[in-house]
């Protein structure tokens, strides 16, 4: 079950948060497994769009949005770790708005 699939996640980390919060998010980015840096202002982990496995993030009206291409268990582990780190650092429960996180 190591099949590569697409995954998407929106988190309740909103564009209108102060710069202080976004600086903390940027620090979390760099601590996450697979961090490779920014390309054209877009954070990437593990690879880029032309690679088989990658994660990228963007700030959207729906919140901080992640798009990933990887196997499900690796994705589930990675995004759970990001949510836990963000919750600890930002001081509020980070999760998906459709799951009730506001």
């Amino acid at each position: 079950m190591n099949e590569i699939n697409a995954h998407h996640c929106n988190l309740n980390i909103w564009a209108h948060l102060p710069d202080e919060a976004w600086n903390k998010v940027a620090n979390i980015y760099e601590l996450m497994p697979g961090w490779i840096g920014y390309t054209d202002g877009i954070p990437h982990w593990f690879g880029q769009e032309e690679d088989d496995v990658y994660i990228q993030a963007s700030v959207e009206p729906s919140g901080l949005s992640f798009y990933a291409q990887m196997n499900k268990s690796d994705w589930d582990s990675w995004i759970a770790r990001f949510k836990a780190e963000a919750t600890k650092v930002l001081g509020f429960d980070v999760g998906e708005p459709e799951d009730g996180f506001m």
Side-chain angles (χ1 to χ4, degrees), residues 3-77:
E3 187 177 332
I4 302 295
N5 293 305
H7 308 279
H8 185 260
C9 179
N10 285 319
L11 299 179
N12 62 332
I13 301 175
W14 311 109
H16 67 271
L17 289 175
D19 287 346
E20 177 185 342
W22 282 106
N23 290 338
K24 292 177 181 179
V25 171
N27 290 336
I28 297 167
Y29 287 169
E30 295 177 15
L31 297 174
M32 290 299 296
W35 173 248
I36 60 172
Y38 294 91
T39 301
D40 297 325
I42 299 171
H44 285 85
W45 297 264
F46 302 106
Q48 296 184 15
E49 291 179 32
E50 63 273 3
D51 298 313
D52 288 338
V53 174
Y54 71 93
I55 301 172
Q56 63 185 28
S58 63
V59 181
E60 306 293 339
S62 58
L64 180 60
S65 181
F66 287 94
Y67 179 82
Q69 207 169 269
M70 59 194 332
N71 75 53
K72 183 170 175 18
S73 65
D74 288 346
W75 166 248
D76 289 345
S77 174

